[in-house]
Amino acid sequence: MAFLFRPLRQVAGRALHTQTTSPASTPATALSLIRSQPSHYVVASVAGRKYTLAPRDLLTVPRLKDVNVGDVLSLSEIHEVGSREFTIRGNPIIPPENVKVQATVVEHTKGRMEVIFKKKRRKGYQRTIKHKQTYTRLRIGPIDVVESHS
Amino acid sequence: MPFRLPPPTRPLLRAQLRSRPANGHVAFIPQCRKLVFEFCNRWPSSANTRTFLTNHLEEFARANPHVEIVVKQRTQKEPIVRGFYLNDRDKVIALNGFEVTGIAKKVQLLLDSSGAKIKPLKRRTVESTTEAARGIWSGLHVEEPFKI
């Protein structure tokens, strides 16, 4: 839809998706470049699975047993932080002192009722199992790219 | 019809300015507001409910100060617990047939829930209202536009 409005005569070099810039010299420079941009995303592992997360997302994971509704969890395995033009990829994770993301437990629910029907024909064996999978829903908080003063 | 230039900047539409709900993003508001226990004083099916109300209800009430707890008579009927939520929905659970620990689990289920209708959650991992940080790819804004 952006092309419907009058396009700018000069296209800034950075904005082209195909053009790559050289990687920043220090992690601090890289973090400050990312910090300078308005919106970020994060690729983090939660409960053993990787998700691409943004602030205000609602993440549904299998039920976390030792957590209460309203608790705030901080994501410890962040693999990637990015913004519109820059990305930092961790090896395998970005140290937690550089990027901080928190998630609040919003609810513990169950999914829809699933009916599992098993039958072996002509043997008189049939079983009906009713099952509701348990889930925990987490709300992702703001992504904090920490400014290092070194 | 004379050709009209498109506006130089994206017009700000009124719908963009409304806030998107995100409970838990910065502040978390517990969704359960009221629990109503209804039981019969005489029938044996309410016996476990009566034990629960005398022995365990107070600790649930102290642990969840945001919930209003009401205890009502429901003579000659099976015992139930109703949970009322901030989205104007309520959940009703029958408590006959449960032991005291089972009743405690059902009460905890009501307190943990958000009141939303139960829907299939297997495929809904990330529900997002944020626009993508990297933007959406446009075939017209590349160095070499695709030639059919």
Side-chain angles (χ1 to χ4, degrees):
Chain A
M1 263 286 271
F3 61 85
L4 288 178
F5 305 105
R6 277 189 238 148
L8 297 168
R9 285 287 165 91
Q10 318 140 300
V11 180
R14 274 187 343 179
L16 286 177
H17 290 260
T18 47
Q19 207 178 68
T20 49
T21 51
S22 55
S25 44
T26 57
T29 333
L31 287 167
S32 61
L33 279 172
I34 289 207
R35 234 187 110 80
S36 66
Q37 302 221 287
S39 60
H40 308 101
Y41 71 91
V42 126
V43 172
S45 279
V46 181
R49 281 167 218 81
K50 282 198 207 155
Y51 303 98
T52 307
L53 303 170
R56 312 174 73 108
D57 279 1
L58 191 60
L59 176 65
T60 308
V61 292
R63 177 74 66 96
L64 306 171
K65 292 255 171 81
D66 40 359
V67 154
N68 296 322
V69 170
D71 288 353
V72 179
L73 315 170
S74 80
L75 305 184
S76 56
E77 291 169 10
I78 299 176
H79 302 277
E80 194 177 303
V81 173
S83 64
R84 204 192 135 86
E85 280 131 28
F86 308 105
T87 319
I88 291 183
R89 205 166 20 141
N91 195 4
I93 57 168
I94 299 173
E97 57 263 11
N98 294 329
V99 185
K100 294 194 196 339
V101 186
Q102 290 189 323
T104 313
V105 179
V106 171
E107 67 171 327
H108 289 307
T109 27
K110 296 191 191 178
R112 182 221 265 159
M113 179 77 87
E114 283 158 18
V115 181
I116 301 151
F117 183 68
K118 301 186 188 184
K119 180 174 175 166
K120 288 203 196 285
R121 54 186 181 173
R122 299 180 294 278
K123 306 300 170 198
Y125 169 80
Q126 64 179 35
R127 303 278 185 267
T128 314
I129 298 166
K130 296 211 291 191
H131 170 71
K132 272 186 175 173
Q133 184 67 3
T134 49
Y135 296 99
T136 301
R137 304 197 97 180
L138 307 167
R139 179 73 71 176
I140 311 295
I143 295 174
D144 185 19
V145 183
V146 175
E147 207 175 82
S148 55
H149 304 276
S150 50
Chain B
M1 200 173 118
F3 176 71
R4 284 168 93 198
L5 276 178
T9 49
R10 194 187 290 271
L12 192 64
L13 302 167
R14 188 159 60 110
Q16 283 169 256
L17 300 173
R18 64 170 71 120
S19 67
R20 298 162 291 157
N23 185 29
H25 174 62
V26 171
F28 173 67
I29 297 171
Q31 295 292 301
C32 183
R33 66 173 175 87
K34 186 170 173 181
L35 281 180
V36 178
F37 291 86
E38 298 183 32
F39 69 104
C40 176
N41 255 329
R42 209 164 66 88
W43 276 18
S45 54
S46 296
N48 288 328
T49 314
R50 278 176 253 136
T51 322
F52 172 83
L53 292 174
T54 44
N55 298 345
H56 302 290
L57 186 60
E58 205 179 315
E59 62 186 86
F60 270 99
R62 285 191 200 286
N64 300 281
H66 56 273
V67 178
E68 175 192 346
I69 297 189
V70 175
V71 171
K72 273 171 83 170
Q73 280 267 37
R74 196 178 189 233
T75 26
Q76 308 219 325
K77 289 253 161 67
E78 305 296 331
I80 56 168
V81 58
R82 264 183 226 270
F84 292 88
Y85 297 92
L86 295 181
N87 59 353
D88 287 342
R89 290 191 75 249
D90 66 329
K91 278 187 180 224
V92 184
I93 299 183
L95 297 176
N96 56 326
F98 288 112
E99 292 299 319
V100 177
T101 42
I103 294 175
K105 274 193 184 167
K106 289 297 180 189
V107 174
Q108 194 54 50
L109 186 154
L110 286 180
L111 290 166
D112 286 339
S113 170
S114 75
K117 254 191 175 173
I118 291 197
K119 47 192 179 206
L121 288 176
K122 204 185 249 185
R123 303 287 170 222
R124 292 175 198 228
T125 359
V126 180
E127 286 183 25
S128 180
T129 47
T130 325
E131 288 103 29
R134 291 169 64 178
I136 299 171
W137 180 83
S138 156
L140 300 171
H141 292 81
V142 281
E143 265 182 352
E144 283 225 22
F146 180 74
K147 288 185 183 127
I148 305 167

